[in-house]
Amino acid sequence: MSSPEPIALPSPPNDGITSLQYIDTQNSSSSQQLLASTSWDGALRLHDTSAKTHVATHVMECGPLLSMTSPSSSSKVFTGGIDGSIRQFDIATSTASLIGMHGANSSSNDDTNKKVACSALSAIHDSSSLIASAGWDAKFHLWDVRNDNNHQPVITLDLPGKAFGMDTSLDGSKVVVATSGRKNCFIDVRSSSLVAVDSNNNNNQDKENSQQPPPIANMILQRDSSLKYQTRCIKFFPNTQGIAIGSIEGRVAIEYLTDIGMTNPDNKKKYAFKCHRVNDTIYPVNDIAFHPTYGTFATGGADGTVVTWDGNSKKKLASLAKLPTSIACLAFNRDGTELAMASSYTFEEGERDHPREEIYVREVLESEVKPKVVAK
């Protein structure tokens, strides 16, 4: 079987693409498969990848957008702006509203405190109302988006440096933030009190929500990355047993999390491998996306390639695409049968002419993501 070809979506962003995410509305009555994107042109875009059409563009009125997230089974998308704002866009009503700001309480005139951009956003899994944010102001915030709280976070923690990447575990209990200085920060989130009550108690939901205590979040570990150069992206394994880290030096590290109580049944050791290199030229690893079914992962590099890997067997699986310029970000759809790829120059070679921004989608074959059988 020949490899599927990437298909470019119409009306792509006009400037650097910063994030991609499929929107899991679980609307069985719709044949749409919505893909959201953000970019330096300040707009949130929606495409229907089933029909290969452009659905909507909404300028979020906050300057360039650096980050985005959307909770599962939700029609809401949250964006992080270079002005520090976290804003909510409701797809159903096409309206936007302010959730809060990074750096809003800073009274210092120090240049450091002016760099308040919200550089990372992640929805807390298993909660429809908790959004985590991290920024250039070296702060981690947790927001309860059901209540405006005067646009104030319910929890704030100090980080050791600027946030470069963030992810939340699928069980909703852990957040990892990669910061400047090659630090990885692990935060324990106790949010069960904010998860919506089950369907048997829907009549009492408003009453119970008003009485529920706030969530608890604690920094449980700070440690250096095992990679020697700046982190570009960081992601939890689907089973939360470890993390994958991509760096500017064309390497991916696999680390296990026994030191924060995660299991490691096979006593696997951390390791790193080289990737996204062409002869003597080394390219950054800009994004990592885990397959939702098999737990294998794809990497996107500034060399314009997308490659899939089996982290357990330490094997390369397939080269999925070679696109015109840097792969800025990646996203699998809900069942892992499609991969979205942002072809967008990430300025690893400085200011120069470059191909225009494009968002491609590509069918994913099972053979390209299924783990390899390791002979014993």
Side-chain angles (χ1 to χ4, degrees), residues 168-207:
T168 56
S169 61
L170 286 180
D171 65 2
S173 68
K174 302 289 187 297
V175 179
V176 62
V177 185
T179 74
S180 55
R182 298 175 38 255
K183 298 292 185 183
N184 294 330
C185 304
F186 296 87
I187 299 167
D188 186 69
V189 178
R190 300 298 176 187
S191 60
S192 58
S193 62
L194 285 177
V195 177
V197 293
D198 67 44
S199 57
N200 292 328
N201 295 320
N202 279 343
N203 292 336
N204 297 320
Q205 182 170 339
D206 291 339
K207 180 180 179 181

Short mmCIF file of all heavy atoms in Angstrom, two decimals, residues 168-207:
data_model
loop_
_atom_site.label_atom_id
_atom_site.label_comp_id
_atom_site.label_asym_id
_atom_site.label_seq_id
_atom_site.Cartn_x
_atom_site.Cartn_y
_atom_site.Cartn_z
N THR A 168 -0.56 17.91 30.57
CA THR A 168 -1.26 17.32 31.71
C THR A 168 -1.44 15.82 31.46
O THR A 168 -1.63 15.40 30.32
CB THR A 168 -2.64 17.97 31.94
OG1 THR A 168 -3.41 17.86 30.74
CG2 THR A 168 -2.50 19.43 32.30
N SER A 169 -1.38 15.05 32.53
CA SER A 169 -1.54 13.60 32.40
C SER A 169 -3.00 13.26 32.12
O SER A 169 -3.92 14.00 32.49
CB SER A 169 -1.09 12.91 33.68
OG SER A 169 -1.87 13.33 34.80
N LEU A 170 -3.21 12.12 31.45
CA LEU A 170 -4.57 11.73 31.08
C LEU A 170 -5.44 11.41 32.27
O LEU A 170 -6.66 11.44 32.17
CB LEU A 170 -4.52 10.53 30.12
CG LEU A 170 -4.07 10.83 28.69
CD1 LEU A 170 -4.08 9.56 27.85
CD2 LEU A 170 -4.95 11.89 28.04
N ASP A 171 -4.82 11.07 33.43
CA ASP A 171 -5.64 10.81 34.62
C ASP A 171 -5.98 12.09 35.37
O ASP A 171 -6.67 12.06 36.40
CB ASP A 171 -4.95 9.81 35.55
CG ASP A 171 -3.66 10.34 36.14
OD1 ASP A 171 -3.29 11.51 35.88
OD2 ASP A 171 -2.99 9.59 36.89
N GLY A 172 -5.51 13.24 34.88
CA GLY A 172 -5.86 14.52 35.47
C GLY A 172 -5.16 14.86 36.77
O GLY A 172 -5.48 15.87 37.40
N SER A 173 -4.16 14.07 37.16
CA SER A 173 -3.54 14.29 38.48
C SER A 173 -2.21 15.02 38.43
O SER A 173 -1.72 15.49 39.46
CB SER A 173 -3.33 12.94 39.19
OG SER A 173 -2.33 12.17 38.52
N LYS A 174 -1.58 15.12 37.25
CA LYS A 174 -0.23 15.68 37.16
C LYS A 174 -0.15 16.68 36.02
O LYS A 174 -0.77 16.52 34.97
CB LYS A 174 0.81 14.57 36.93
CG LYS A 174 0.86 13.48 37.99
CD LYS A 174 1.44 13.98 39.29
CE LYS A 174 1.64 12.85 40.30
NZ LYS A 174 0.38 12.20 40.70
N VAL A 175 0.67 17.70 36.26
CA VAL A 175 1.04 18.66 35.23
C VAL A 175 2.55 18.74 35.20
O VAL A 175 3.19 18.73 36.25
CB VAL A 175 0.46 20.07 35.52
CG1 VAL A 175 0.87 21.06 34.44
CG2 VAL A 175 -1.06 20.02 35.64
N VAL A 176 3.13 18.80 34.01
CA VAL A 176 4.57 19.00 33.88
C VAL A 176 4.79 20.28 33.08
O VAL A 176 4.12 20.53 32.08
CB VAL A 176 5.28 17.80 33.23
CG1 VAL A 176 4.78 17.55 31.81
CG2 VAL A 176 6.79 17.98 33.25
N VAL A 177 5.72 21.12 33.57
CA VAL A 177 6.06 22.37 32.90
C VAL A 177 7.56 22.37 32.64
O VAL A 177 8.35 22.15 33.57
CB VAL A 177 5.68 23.60 33.74
CG1 VAL A 177 5.94 24.89 32.95
CG2 VAL A 177 4.23 23.53 34.20
N ALA A 178 7.95 22.61 31.40
CA ALA A 178 9.36 22.77 31.05
C ALA A 178 9.68 24.26 31.01
O ALA A 178 8.97 25.04 30.37
CB ALA A 178 9.64 22.13 29.69
N THR A 179 10.74 24.65 31.72
CA THR A 179 11.07 26.07 31.82
C THR A 179 12.49 26.34 31.32
O THR A 179 13.26 25.42 31.02
CB THR A 179 10.96 26.57 33.28
OG1 THR A 179 12.07 26.07 34.04
CG2 THR A 179 9.65 26.14 33.91
N SER A 180 12.82 27.61 31.25
CA SER A 180 14.19 28.00 30.95
C SER A 180 15.12 27.44 32.02
O SER A 180 14.69 27.11 33.13
CB SER A 180 14.31 29.52 30.89
OG SER A 180 13.83 30.11 32.09
N GLY A 181 16.39 27.33 31.69
CA GLY A 181 17.33 26.72 32.61
C GLY A 181 17.26 25.21 32.62
O GLY A 181 17.80 24.57 33.52
N ARG A 182 16.55 24.62 31.63
CA ARG A 182 16.42 23.16 31.47
C ARG A 182 15.76 22.50 32.67
O ARG A 182 16.05 21.37 33.00
CB ARG A 182 17.80 22.52 31.25
CG ARG A 182 18.54 22.97 30.01
CD ARG A 182 19.95 22.39 29.88
NE ARG A 182 20.02 21.02 30.33
CZ ARG A 182 20.57 20.64 31.50
NH1 ARG A 182 21.06 21.53 32.33
NH2 ARG A 182 20.62 19.36 31.82
N LYS A 183 14.84 23.20 33.32
CA LYS A 183 14.12 22.64 34.46
C LYS A 183 12.80 22.03 34.01
O LYS A 183 12.10 22.58 33.15
CB LYS A 183 13.85 23.71 35.51
CG LYS A 183 15.08 24.34 36.12
CD LYS A 183 15.86 23.36 36.98
CE LYS A 183 17.04 24.04 37.67
NZ LYS A 183 17.85 23.07 38.45
N ASN A 184 12.45 20.89 34.61
CA ASN A 184 11.13 20.29 34.45
C ASN A 184 10.45 20.26 35.81
O ASN A 184 11.02 19.76 36.79
CB ASN A 184 11.25 18.86 33.91
CG ASN A 184 11.81 18.82 32.50
OD1 ASN A 184 11.60 19.76 31.72
ND2 ASN A 184 12.51 17.76 32.16
N CYS A 185 9.27 20.84 35.88
CA CYS A 185 8.54 20.98 37.14
C CYS A 185 7.29 20.11 37.10
O CYS A 185 6.50 20.20 36.16
CB CYS A 185 8.13 22.44 37.36
SG CYS A 185 9.50 23.61 37.32
N PHE A 186 7.12 19.29 38.13
CA PHE A 186 5.98 18.39 38.22
C PHE A 186 5.03 18.88 39.32
O PHE A 186 5.46 19.11 40.46
CB PHE A 186 6.44 16.96 38.50
CG PHE A 186 7.27 16.39 37.39
CD1 PHE A 186 8.65 16.59 37.36
CD2 PHE A 186 6.67 15.67 36.37
CE1 PHE A 186 9.42 16.08 36.33
CE2 PHE A 186 7.44 15.15 35.33
CZ PHE A 186 8.81 15.36 35.31
N ILE A 187 3.77 19.05 38.95
CA ILE A 187 2.77 19.61 39.85
C ILE A 187 1.66 18.59 40.04
O ILE A 187 1.14 18.03 39.06
CB ILE A 187 2.20 20.93 39.28
CG1 ILE A 187 3.33 21.96 39.13
CG2 ILE A 187 1.07 21.48 40.15
CD1 ILE A 187 2.96 23.16 38.29
N ASP A 188 1.33 18.33 41.29
CA ASP A 188 0.25 17.42 41.64
C ASP A 188 -1.03 18.22 41.77
O ASP A 188 -1.08 19.19 42.55
CB ASP A 188 0.57 16.69 42.95
CG ASP A 188 -0.46 15.63 43.28
OD1 ASP A 188 -0.52 14.62 42.58
OD2 ASP A 188 -1.22 15.84 44.26
N VAL A 189 -2.06 17.85 41.04
CA VAL A 189 -3.33 18.57 41.05
C VAL A 189 -4.41 17.67 41.61
O VAL A 189 -4.64 16.56 41.08
CB VAL A 189 -3.71 19.05 39.64
CG1 VAL A 189 -5.07 19.76 39.66
CG2 VAL A 189 -2.65 19.98 39.08
N ARG A 190 -5.06 18.11 42.65
CA ARG A 190 -6.20 17.37 43.21
C ARG A 190 -7.46 18.13 42.85
O ARG A 190 -7.82 19.11 43.48
CB ARG A 190 -6.07 17.24 44.74
CG ARG A 190 -4.82 16.51 45.18
CD ARG A 190 -4.79 15.10 44.67
NE ARG A 190 -3.55 14.39 44.99
CZ ARG A 190 -3.23 13.20 44.54
NH1 ARG A 190 -4.05 12.57 43.73
NH2 ARG A 190 -2.08 12.61 44.87
N SER A 191 -8.12 17.66 41.79
CA SER A 191 -9.23 18.42 41.23
C SER A 191 -10.54 17.65 41.25
O SER A 191 -11.51 18.08 40.65
CB SER A 191 -8.92 18.81 39.78
OG SER A 191 -8.71 17.65 39.01
N SER A 192 -10.59 16.51 41.94
CA SER A 192 -11.78 15.68 41.87
C SER A 192 -13.02 16.41 42.37
O SER A 192 -14.13 16.16 41.93
CB SER A 192 -11.59 14.40 42.68
OG SER A 192 -11.29 14.69 44.03
N SER A 193 -12.83 17.36 43.29
CA SER A 193 -13.98 18.09 43.80
C SER A 193 -14.59 19.00 42.76
O SER A 193 -15.70 19.48 42.93
CB SER A 193 -13.56 18.94 45.01
OG SER A 193 -12.58 19.90 44.63
N LEU A 194 -13.85 19.26 41.66
CA LEU A 194 -14.38 20.15 40.64
C LEU A 194 -14.87 19.42 39.40
O LEU A 194 -15.35 20.02 38.47
CB LEU A 194 -13.30 21.15 40.23
CG LEU A 194 -13.05 22.27 41.25
CD1 LEU A 194 -11.91 23.15 40.78
CD2 LEU A 194 -14.28 23.10 41.49
N VAL A 195 -14.73 18.10 39.40
CA VAL A 195 -15.28 17.34 38.29
C VAL A 195 -16.79 17.33 38.39
O VAL A 195 -17.35 17.17 39.47
CB VAL A 195 -14.73 15.89 38.30
CG1 VAL A 195 -15.35 15.09 37.17
CG2 VAL A 195 -13.22 15.91 38.16
N ALA A 196 -17.45 17.51 37.27
CA ALA A 196 -18.92 17.57 37.30
C ALA A 196 -19.50 16.32 37.95
O ALA A 196 -19.01 15.22 37.75
CB ALA A 196 -19.44 17.71 35.87
N VAL A 197 -20.57 16.51 38.71
CA VAL A 197 -21.21 15.38 39.35
C VAL A 197 -21.81 14.47 38.30
O VAL A 197 -22.10 14.89 37.17
CB VAL A 197 -22.31 15.87 40.32
CG1 VAL A 197 -21.70 16.62 41.47
CG2 VAL A 197 -23.33 16.73 39.60
N ASP A 198 -22.01 13.21 38.63
CA ASP A 198 -22.47 12.26 37.61
C ASP A 198 -23.92 12.52 37.25
O ASP A 198 -24.63 13.29 37.88
CB ASP A 198 -22.24 10.81 38.07
CG ASP A 198 -23.08 10.40 39.26
OD1 ASP A 198 -24.29 10.74 39.25
OD2 ASP A 198 -22.55 9.75 40.18
N SER A 199 -24.35 11.87 36.21
CA SER A 199 -25.66 12.16 35.63
C SER A 199 -26.81 11.87 36.58
O SER A 199 -27.89 12.44 36.44
CB SER A 199 -25.84 11.35 34.34
OG SER A 199 -25.69 9.97 34.61
N ASN A 200 -26.60 11.02 37.58
CA ASN A 200 -27.67 10.73 38.53
C ASN A 200 -27.95 11.89 39.46
O ASN A 200 -28.98 11.95 40.12
CB ASN A 200 -27.29 9.50 39.38
CG ASN A 200 -27.25 8.24 38.54
OD1 ASN A 200 -28.01 8.11 37.58
ND2 ASN A 200 -26.37 7.31 38.89
N ASN A 201 -27.00 12.84 39.53
CA ASN A 201 -27.16 13.96 40.45
C ASN A 201 -27.24 15.30 39.73
O ASN A 201 -26.95 16.33 40.29
CB ASN A 201 -25.98 14.00 41.44
CG ASN A 201 -25.94 12.77 42.34
OD1 ASN A 201 -26.98 12.31 42.79
ND2 ASN A 201 -24.75 12.24 42.55
N ASN A 202 -27.65 15.27 38.45
CA ASN A 202 -27.66 16.50 37.68
C ASN A 202 -28.54 17.57 38.31
O ASN A 202 -28.26 18.76 38.21
CB ASN A 202 -28.14 16.22 36.25
CG ASN A 202 -27.03 15.67 35.39
OD1 ASN A 202 -25.86 15.78 35.74
ND2 ASN A 202 -27.39 15.05 34.27
N ASN A 203 -29.64 17.17 38.97
CA ASN A 203 -30.55 18.16 39.54
C ASN A 203 -29.90 18.95 40.66
O ASN A 203 -30.33 20.05 40.99
CB ASN A 203 -31.81 17.47 40.07
CG ASN A 203 -32.66 16.89 38.95
OD1 ASN A 203 -32.57 17.34 37.81
ND2 ASN A 203 -33.46 15.88 39.27
N ASN A 204 -28.87 18.37 41.29
CA ASN A 204 -28.21 19.05 42.41
C ASN A 204 -26.87 19.66 42.03
O ASN A 204 -26.13 20.12 42.88
CB ASN A 204 -27.98 18.04 43.56
CG ASN A 204 -29.28 17.49 44.11
OD1 ASN A 204 -30.25 18.23 44.26
ND2 ASN A 204 -29.29 16.20 44.40
N GLN A 205 -26.59 19.68 40.71
CA GLN A 205 -25.24 20.08 40.30
C GLN A 205 -24.92 21.51 40.70
O GLN A 205 -23.85 21.77 41.26
CB GLN A 205 -25.11 19.93 38.79
CG GLN A 205 -23.72 20.28 38.28
CD GLN A 205 -23.55 19.89 36.83
OE1 GLN A 205 -24.27 19.06 36.32
NE2 GLN A 205 -22.58 20.49 36.17
N ASP A 206 -25.83 22.47 40.44
CA ASP A 206 -25.53 23.86 40.75
C ASP A 206 -25.31 24.06 42.24
O ASP A 206 -24.40 24.77 42.67
CB ASP A 206 -26.66 24.78 40.28
CG ASP A 206 -26.74 24.83 38.75
OD1 ASP A 206 -25.72 24.50 38.11
OD2 ASP A 206 -27.81 25.18 38.23
N LYS A 207 -26.13 23.40 43.05
CA LYS A 207 -25.99 23.53 44.50
C LYS A 207 -24.67 22.96 44.98
O LYS A 207 -23.96 23.58 45.77
CB LYS A 207 -27.16 22.82 45.19
CG LYS A 207 -27.09 22.89 46.71
CD LYS A 207 -28.27 22.17 47.34
CE LYS A 207 -28.20 22.21 48.87
NZ LYS A 207 -29.33 21.51 49.48
#
